[in-house]
Amino acid sequence: MRPSGRQTNQMRKVSFERNFSKHAEGSCLVKFGDTHVLCTASLEEKTPPWLRNSGKGWVTAEYGMLPRATGERMKREAAAGKQGGRTQEIQRLIGRSLRAVIDLEALGERQITVDCDVIQADGGTRTASITGGWVALYDCLKWMEARSMIKVEKVLRDHVAAISCGIFATQPVIDLDYLEDSAAETDANFVMTGAGGIVEVQGTAEGAPFSQDEFLKLLALAQAGTQELVAMQKQAIA
């Protein structure tokens, strides 16, 4: 039995609130149960130095957790003068995931930065960031299209969504909350496109190594879960 009472293949309640931020070109407040992340997409009419005069644009991401996103206050990383390794790893994952479905040449020599700020954390912050970040990115591209800067269908090739899966109490389960994540025997994150392509898989055994059969069961859960999330994204932007 899962602590939440959910079935092994049952995700938490997911919602997307678009246009949450007044000033950003695209924004979305995404909720995976009690994990809430504000995703904002900001456009700049320039590229990183290594892409100048290349004809290509860039999509990148930044990630952070507010001090009281968790049970006890965390110090701001700015106060420490540097980002932690976990933060850097997550924001690189978000950026890679979003770029996987973008035609950078069709974007032109521009940069879009997707900021993912965790307001409240209860497991799965990186997967929520990727899934909500796609919605914010879509709205930024629609903002650009409304100003005759691009055609969205030429720039955005597909949806992308992410979900966590793991082995908890010997059972493969989907969308782990903090109680499950902290006690899971295996913890994995899957990033997949709307067409079913795999962008990235991160999997770690916390105790005994997991078997190929267990991995395939987690993959099957992730495939169904990401397709459900893509359907929710489509409904949100309809």
Side-chain angles (χ1 to χ4, degrees), residues 202-224:
Q202 300 177 331
T204 305
E206 299 291 346
F210 55 95
S211 67
Q212 179 177 337
D213 180 61
E214 288 172 323
F215 172 75
L216 292 175
K217 288 178 180 178
L218 295 178
L219 177 60
L221 283 173
Q223 288 171 324

PDB file of all heavy atoms in Angstrom, residues 202-224:
ATOM      1  N   GLN A 202      17.123   8.547 -15.938  1.00  0.00           N
ATOM      2  CA  GLN A 202      18.013   8.580 -14.783  1.00  0.00           C
ATOM      3  C   GLN A 202      17.504   7.548 -13.784  1.00  0.00           C
ATOM      4  O   GLN A 202      16.379   7.660 -13.315  1.00  0.00           O
ATOM      5  CB  GLN A 202      18.015   9.966 -14.124  1.00  0.00           C
ATOM      6  CG  GLN A 202      18.458  11.105 -15.029  1.00  0.00           C
ATOM      7  CD  GLN A 202      18.354  12.451 -14.333  1.00  0.00           C
ATOM      8  OE1 GLN A 202      17.523  12.652 -13.453  1.00  0.00           O
ATOM      9  NE2 GLN A 202      19.197  13.377 -14.749  1.00  0.00           N
ATOM     10  N   GLY A 203      18.298   6.544 -13.487  1.00  0.00           N
ATOM     11  CA  GLY A 203      17.850   5.508 -12.559  1.00  0.00           C
ATOM     12  C   GLY A 203      18.935   5.108 -11.589  1.00  0.00           C
ATOM     13  O   GLY A 203      20.091   4.941 -11.987  1.00  0.00           O
ATOM     14  N   THR A 204      18.569   4.967 -10.336  1.00  0.00           N
ATOM     15  CA  THR A 204      19.539   4.642  -9.293  1.00  0.00           C
ATOM     16  C   THR A 204      18.948   3.631  -8.319  1.00  0.00           C
ATOM     17  O   THR A 204      17.814   3.795  -7.858  1.00  0.00           O
ATOM     18  CB  THR A 204      19.935   5.908  -8.504  1.00  0.00           C
ATOM     19  OG1 THR A 204      20.416   6.902  -9.412  1.00  0.00           O
ATOM     20  CG2 THR A 204      21.010   5.588  -7.487  1.00  0.00           C
ATOM     21  N   ALA A 205      19.722   2.597  -8.009  1.00  0.00           N
ATOM     22  CA  ALA A 205      19.338   1.659  -6.961  1.00  0.00           C
ATOM     23  C   ALA A 205      19.831   2.204  -5.625  1.00  0.00           C
ATOM     24  O   ALA A 205      21.009   2.510  -5.468  1.00  0.00           O
ATOM     25  CB  ALA A 205      19.950   0.290  -7.229  1.00  0.00           C
ATOM     26  N   GLU A 206      18.920   2.339  -4.687  1.00  0.00           N
ATOM     27  CA  GLU A 206      19.287   2.843  -3.368  1.00  0.00           C
ATOM     28  C   GLU A 206      19.769   1.722  -2.452  1.00  0.00           C
ATOM     29  O   GLU A 206      20.451   1.965  -1.460  1.00  0.00           O
ATOM     30  CB  GLU A 206      18.095   3.565  -2.732  1.00  0.00           C
ATOM     31  CG  GLU A 206      17.589   4.765  -3.515  1.00  0.00           C
ATOM     32  CD  GLU A 206      18.576   5.920  -3.514  1.00  0.00           C
ATOM     33  OE1 GLU A 206      19.523   5.909  -2.702  1.00  0.00           O
ATOM     34  OE2 GLU A 206      18.402   6.839  -4.340  1.00  0.00           O
ATOM     35  N   GLY A 207      19.384   0.482  -2.775  1.00  0.00           N
ATOM     36  CA  GLY A 207      19.807  -0.665  -1.979  1.00  0.00           C
ATOM     37  C   GLY A 207      20.344  -1.730  -2.908  1.00  0.00           C
ATOM     38  O   GLY A 207      21.390  -1.574  -3.528  1.00  0.00           O
ATOM     39  N   ALA A 208      19.584  -2.812  -3.076  1.00  0.00           N
ATOM     40  CA  ALA A 208      19.976  -3.879  -3.991  1.00  0.00           C
ATOM     41  C   ALA A 208      19.788  -3.416  -5.428  1.00  0.00           C
ATOM     42  O   ALA A 208      18.849  -2.668  -5.732  1.00  0.00           O
ATOM     43  CB  ALA A 208      19.146  -5.122  -3.727  1.00  0.00           C
ATOM     44  N   PRO A 209      20.649  -3.824  -6.338  1.00  0.00           N
ATOM     45  CA  PRO A 209      20.480  -3.464  -7.751  1.00  0.00           C
ATOM     46  C   PRO A 209      19.123  -3.942  -8.276  1.00  0.00           C
ATOM     47  O   PRO A 209      18.606  -4.980  -7.848  1.00  0.00           O
ATOM     48  CB  PRO A 209      21.627  -4.200  -8.445  1.00  0.00           C
ATOM     49  CG  PRO A 209      22.645  -4.413  -7.377  1.00  0.00           C
ATOM     50  CD  PRO A 209      21.866  -4.624  -6.114  1.00  0.00           C
ATOM     51  N   PHE A 210      18.554  -3.188  -9.224  1.00  0.00           N
ATOM     52  CA  PHE A 210      17.288  -3.609  -9.803  1.00  0.00           C
ATOM     53  C   PHE A 210      17.545  -4.423 -11.068  1.00  0.00           C
ATOM     54  O   PHE A 210      18.576  -4.280 -11.730  1.00  0.00           O
ATOM     55  CB  PHE A 210      16.362  -2.423 -10.073  1.00  0.00           C
ATOM     56  CG  PHE A 210      16.935  -1.314 -10.921  1.00  0.00           C
ATOM     57  CD1 PHE A 210      16.707  -1.273 -12.293  1.00  0.00           C
ATOM     58  CD2 PHE A 210      17.697  -0.298 -10.339  1.00  0.00           C
ATOM     59  CE1 PHE A 210      17.225  -0.254 -13.068  1.00  0.00           C
ATOM     60  CE2 PHE A 210      18.211   0.738 -11.113  1.00  0.00           C
ATOM     61  CZ  PHE A 210      17.976   0.753 -12.481  1.00  0.00           C
ATOM     62  N   SER A 211      16.594  -5.270 -11.392  1.00  0.00           N
ATOM     63  CA  SER A 211      16.745  -6.195 -12.509  1.00  0.00           C
ATOM     64  C   SER A 211      16.250  -5.572 -13.808  1.00  0.00           C
ATOM     65  O   SER A 211      15.577  -4.543 -13.810  1.00  0.00           O
ATOM     66  CB  SER A 211      15.959  -7.476 -12.241  1.00  0.00           C
ATOM     67  OG  SER A 211      14.565  -7.191 -12.231  1.00  0.00           O
ATOM     68  N   GLN A 212      16.558  -6.229 -14.921  1.00  0.00           N
ATOM     69  CA  GLN A 212      16.067  -5.767 -16.213  1.00  0.00           C
ATOM     70  C   GLN A 212      14.545  -5.815 -16.252  1.00  0.00           C
ATOM     71  O   GLN A 212      13.898  -4.909 -16.787  1.00  0.00           O
ATOM     72  CB  GLN A 212      16.644  -6.626 -17.339  1.00  0.00           C
ATOM     73  CG  GLN A 212      16.158  -6.208 -18.725  1.00  0.00           C
ATOM     74  CD  GLN A 212      16.797  -7.023 -19.838  1.00  0.00           C
ATOM     75  OE1 GLN A 212      17.864  -7.588 -19.654  1.00  0.00           O
ATOM     76  NE2 GLN A 212      16.146  -7.083 -20.972  1.00  0.00           N
ATOM     77  N   ASP A 213      13.963  -6.852 -15.675  1.00  0.00           N
ATOM     78  CA  ASP A 213      12.503  -6.969 -15.647  1.00  0.00           C
ATOM     79  C   ASP A 213      11.881  -5.813 -14.863  1.00  0.00           C
ATOM     80  O   ASP A 213      10.868  -5.241 -15.283  1.00  0.00           O
ATOM     81  CB  ASP A 213      12.105  -8.305 -15.023  1.00  0.00           C
ATOM     82  CG  ASP A 213      10.599  -8.492 -14.973  1.00  0.00           C
ATOM     83  OD1 ASP A 213       9.966  -8.506 -16.046  1.00  0.00           O
ATOM     84  OD2 ASP A 213      10.043  -8.600 -13.856  1.00  0.00           O
ATOM     85  N   GLU A 214      12.493  -5.457 -13.735  1.00  0.00           N
ATOM     86  CA  GLU A 214      11.987  -4.332 -12.948  1.00  0.00           C
ATOM     87  C   GLU A 214      12.120  -3.029 -13.737  1.00  0.00           C
ATOM     88  O   GLU A 214      11.225  -2.182 -13.707  1.00  0.00           O
ATOM     89  CB  GLU A 214      12.733  -4.236 -11.622  1.00  0.00           C
ATOM     90  CG  GLU A 214      12.366  -5.351 -10.643  1.00  0.00           C
ATOM     91  CD  GLU A 214      13.250  -5.353  -9.411  1.00  0.00           C
ATOM     92  OE1 GLU A 214      14.460  -5.073  -9.545  1.00  0.00           O
ATOM     93  OE2 GLU A 214      12.726  -5.645  -8.317  1.00  0.00           O
ATOM     94  N   PHE A 215      13.250  -2.872 -14.442  1.00  0.00           N
ATOM     95  CA  PHE A 215      13.430  -1.657 -15.246  1.00  0.00           C
ATOM     96  C   PHE A 215      12.354  -1.552 -16.323  1.00  0.00           C
ATOM     97  O   PHE A 215      11.799  -0.473 -16.557  1.00  0.00           O
ATOM     98  CB  PHE A 215      14.813  -1.640 -15.882  1.00  0.00           C
ATOM     99  CG  PHE A 215      14.991  -0.514 -16.875  1.00  0.00           C
ATOM    100  CD1 PHE A 215      15.175   0.789 -16.434  1.00  0.00           C
ATOM    101  CD2 PHE A 215      14.936  -0.754 -18.237  1.00  0.00           C
ATOM    102  CE1 PHE A 215      15.309   1.839 -17.333  1.00  0.00           C
ATOM    103  CE2 PHE A 215      15.063   0.287 -19.144  1.00  0.00           C
ATOM    104  CZ  PHE A 215      15.256   1.586 -18.694  1.00  0.00           C
ATOM    105  N   LEU A 216      12.048  -2.663 -16.983  1.00  0.00           N
ATOM    106  CA  LEU A 216      11.038  -2.642 -18.042  1.00  0.00           C
ATOM    107  C   LEU A 216       9.652  -2.306 -17.485  1.00  0.00           C
ATOM    108  O   LEU A 216       8.848  -1.649 -18.144  1.00  0.00           O
ATOM    109  CB  LEU A 216      11.016  -3.975 -18.783  1.00  0.00           C
ATOM    110  CG  LEU A 216      12.270  -4.278 -19.621  1.00  0.00           C
ATOM    111  CD1 LEU A 216      12.190  -5.665 -20.218  1.00  0.00           C
ATOM    112  CD2 LEU A 216      12.469  -3.217 -20.707  1.00  0.00           C
ATOM    113  N   LYS A 217       9.391  -2.753 -16.249  1.00  0.00           N
ATOM    114  CA  LYS A 217       8.112  -2.393 -15.616  1.00  0.00           C
ATOM    115  C   LYS A 217       8.060  -0.897 -15.314  1.00  0.00           C
ATOM    116  O   LYS A 217       7.019  -0.251 -15.489  1.00  0.00           O
ATOM    117  CB  LYS A 217       7.918  -3.209 -14.335  1.00  0.00           C
ATOM    118  CG  LYS A 217       7.613  -4.674 -14.590  1.00  0.00           C
ATOM    119  CD  LYS A 217       7.474  -5.458 -13.286  1.00  0.00           C
ATOM    120  CE  LYS A 217       7.164  -6.925 -13.556  1.00  0.00           C
ATOM    121  NZ  LYS A 217       7.072  -7.720 -12.298  1.00  0.00           N
ATOM    122  N   LEU A 218       9.187  -0.337 -14.865  1.00  0.00           N
ATOM    123  CA  LEU A 218       9.244   1.112 -14.626  1.00  0.00           C
ATOM    124  C   LEU A 218       9.079   1.873 -15.930  1.00  0.00           C
ATOM    125  O   LEU A 218       8.379   2.893 -15.979  1.00  0.00           O
ATOM    126  CB  LEU A 218      10.569   1.477 -13.951  1.00  0.00           C
ATOM    127  CG  LEU A 218      10.810   0.932 -12.550  1.00  0.00           C
ATOM    128  CD1 LEU A 218      12.192   1.350 -12.058  1.00  0.00           C
ATOM    129  CD2 LEU A 218       9.729   1.382 -11.571  1.00  0.00           C
ATOM    130  N   LEU A 219       9.721   1.392 -16.988  1.00  0.00           N
ATOM    131  CA  LEU A 219       9.610   2.032 -18.294  1.00  0.00           C
ATOM    132  C   LEU A 219       8.168   2.020 -18.782  1.00  0.00           C
ATOM    133  O   LEU A 219       7.671   3.028 -19.310  1.00  0.00           O
ATOM    134  CB  LEU A 219      10.526   1.333 -19.295  1.00  0.00           C
ATOM    135  CG  LEU A 219      10.466   1.839 -20.745  1.00  0.00           C
ATOM    136  CD1 LEU A 219      10.849   3.317 -20.826  1.00  0.00           C
ATOM    137  CD2 LEU A 219      11.383   0.999 -21.636  1.00  0.00           C
ATOM    138  N   ALA A 220       7.475   0.901 -18.607  1.00  0.00           N
ATOM    139  CA  ALA A 220       6.077   0.815 -19.028  1.00  0.00           C
ATOM    140  C   ALA A 220       5.205   1.815 -18.260  1.00  0.00           C
ATOM    141  O   ALA A 220       4.332   2.477 -18.841  1.00  0.00           O
ATOM    142  CB  ALA A 220       5.552  -0.608 -18.839  1.00  0.00           C
ATOM    143  N   LEU A 221       5.456   1.940 -16.950  1.00  0.00           N
ATOM    144  CA  LEU A 221       4.729   2.937 -16.159  1.00  0.00           C
ATOM    145  C   LEU A 221       5.011   4.337 -16.680  1.00  0.00           C
ATOM    146  O   LEU A 221       4.099   5.165 -16.816  1.00  0.00           O
ATOM    147  CB  LEU A 221       5.136   2.841 -14.691  1.00  0.00           C
ATOM    148  CG  LEU A 221       4.566   1.696 -13.852  1.00  0.00           C
ATOM    149  CD1 LEU A 221       5.231   1.678 -12.478  1.00  0.00           C
ATOM    150  CD2 LEU A 221       3.052   1.816 -13.708  1.00  0.00           C
ATOM    151  N   ALA A 222       6.291   4.619 -16.977  1.00  0.00           N
ATOM    152  CA  ALA A 222       6.686   5.949 -17.440  1.00  0.00           C
ATOM    153  C   ALA A 222       6.074   6.273 -18.796  1.00  0.00           C
ATOM    154  O   ALA A 222       5.651   7.409 -19.045  1.00  0.00           O
ATOM    155  CB  ALA A 222       8.204   6.052 -17.509  1.00  0.00           C
ATOM    156  N   GLN A 223       6.034   5.294 -19.695  1.00  0.00           N
ATOM    157  CA  GLN A 223       5.444   5.528 -21.009  1.00  0.00           C
ATOM    158  C   GLN A 223       3.977   5.918 -20.896  1.00  0.00           C
ATOM    159  O   GLN A 223       3.512   6.867 -21.535  1.00  0.00           O
ATOM    160  CB  GLN A 223       5.610   4.275 -21.880  1.00  0.00           C
ATOM    161  CG  GLN A 223       7.039   4.039 -22.335  1.00  0.00           C
ATOM    162  CD  GLN A 223       7.231   2.699 -23.016  1.00  0.00           C
ATOM    163  OE1 GLN A 223       6.603   1.697 -22.639  1.00  0.00           O
ATOM    164  NE2 GLN A 223       8.103   2.640 -24.008  1.00  0.00           N
ATOM    165  N   ALA A 224       3.247   5.181 -20.063  1.00  0.00           N
ATOM    166  CA  ALA A 224       1.828   5.505 -19.866  1.00  0.00           C
ATOM    167  C   ALA A 224       1.670   6.857 -19.179  1.00  0.00           C
ATOM    168  O   ALA A 224       0.802   7.664 -19.547  1.00  0.00           O
ATOM    169  CB  ALA A 224       1.158   4.402 -19.045  1.00  0.00           C
TER     170      ALA A 224
END
